[in-house]
Amino acid sequence: MFLAIDTVFDQCSVAVVSEDLQILSCHTEPGKREQTQLILPMIDASLKKAGVKLADLTALIFNRGPGPFSGIRINTAVVQALSVAHDLPCVGVSSLSAIAQAAFDEQGLQQVYVAFDARMKQVYFAQYQLDHTSQVMKLTEGTNEQLLDYDQNTELAWPIAGNGAELLTAQQQQPLYADIQPDAVTLAKLGIAQYLQQGGVPAEQALPVYLRNDAWKTLKEQGKA
């Protein structure tokens, strides 16, 4: 069994999912207020609903970013603490791959750009394609996650998913899916596939990914205020 949590997409989402992708429990609270107060009680409630104890888990799956600094910090800190306390491995899942996976699961998109609003006139951006064997969306070979300025356009007219889709300049008839938002079940699907291939890592290696190196600084400290 796997516990997946997300506080990066302006929500608290928790799921307990089995290795064969059976959803044992899932609960999502929209909004980013009081995430620090909500997340631990939600984890307890999800485990109880699933009839599972932390000691029964195989690994902890978390959204490692990129995304809002506070959401990533909460997500990572909770998983690291649970990992140390219960000697559980961790699996970090990219927020961008989660959006791509949700685009496939919800809309059947097998090729997609992902644009996640990074503020400061930029989006977190990546390009994904379906791996038909695993049914998991993976980064297109030779590409990586990056920051892209607002109003940029894409090389191809593939659909764009994520809340930054409308912040880029779309090509003619290029589909936009700005409302795609993954939950902890989406993270679990990706995390389980990753765990089965690569295993997990200890708490000290369960690290966030910000892409913007000065994400922890205030706007004034970044010279942008």
Side-chain angles (χ1 to χ4, degrees):
M1 266 87 64
F2 296 80
L3 172 69
I5 69 170
D6 171 56
T7 59
V8 174
F9 291 118
D10 289 347
Q11 64 185 5
C12 277
S13 186
V14 179
V16 179
V17 180
S18 65
E19 184 177 316
D20 61 359
L21 302 183
Q22 180 183 356
I23 301 169
L24 304 179
S25 68
C26 179
H27 183 58
T28 299
E29 288 286 345
K32 60 183 178 180
R33 293 184 179 181
E34 300 180 348
Q35 285 176 315
T36 52
Q37 288 78 28
L38 286 173
I39 190 64
L40 290 177
M42 285 178 63
I43 289 172
D44 288 339
S46 292
L47 290 170
K48 288 178 181 177
K49 182 177 180 180
V52 172
K53 297 180 180 179
L54 282 164
D56 300 325
L57 295 175
T58 304
L60 304 168
I61 298 168
F62 72 105
N63 188 336
R64 53 87 163 159
F69 173 73
S70 59
I72 296 174
R73 181 181 61 187
I74 294 167
N75 220 47
T76 306
V78 168
V79 163
Q80 287 176 335
L82 293 175
S83 173
V84 170
H86 300 277
D87 192 26
L88 291 168
C90 306
V91 181
V93 173
S94 163
S95 59
L96 303 185
S97 65
I99 294 171
Q101 189 66 41
F104 169 66
D105 292 342
E106 297 174 18
Q107 301 293 334
L109 305 181
Q110 298 186 24
Q111 298 174 319
V112 66
Y113 291 110
V114 172
F116 185 21
D117 191 4
R119 312 300 179 185
M120 302 180 196
K121 298 183 179 181
Q122 290 183 312
V123 298
Y124 302 113
F125 181 83
Q127 179 179 340
Y128 290 86
Q129 290 179 276
L130 181 68
D131 178 273
H132 290 278
T133 301
S134 64
Q135 293 293 290
V136 164
M137 296 291 277
K138 296 185 176 180
L139 277 170
T140 300
E141 187 174 353
T143 69
N144 52 35
E145 298 177 350
Q146 61 183 293
L147 283 162
L148 197 66
D149 291 337
Y150 286 2
D151 300 324
Q152 295 294 304
N153 54 23
T154 59
E155 181 179 356
L156 304 171
W158 288 5
I160 309 175
N163 68 357
E166 295 173 349
L167 301 174
L168 300 177
T169 299
Q171 299 186 39
Q172 188 174 11
Q173 296 184 335
Q174 185 171 20
L176 304 180
Y177 295 87
D179 294 333
I180 295 287
Q181 177 147 320
D183 60 11
V185 172
T186 312
L187 289 173
K189 183 174 184 177
L190 292 168
I192 291 170
Q194 184 174 320
Y195 179 84
L196 294 176
Q197 286 190 340
Q198 305 170 18
V201 299
E204 62 270 19
Q205 295 178 31
L207 301 177
V209 172
Y210 295 113
L211 288 189
R212 184 180 285 132
N213 293 330
D214 56 1
W216 57 272
K217 295 181 180 179
T218 65
L219 289 175
K220 184 175 182 180
E221 287 171 331
Q222 294 175 40
K224 297 182 179 180

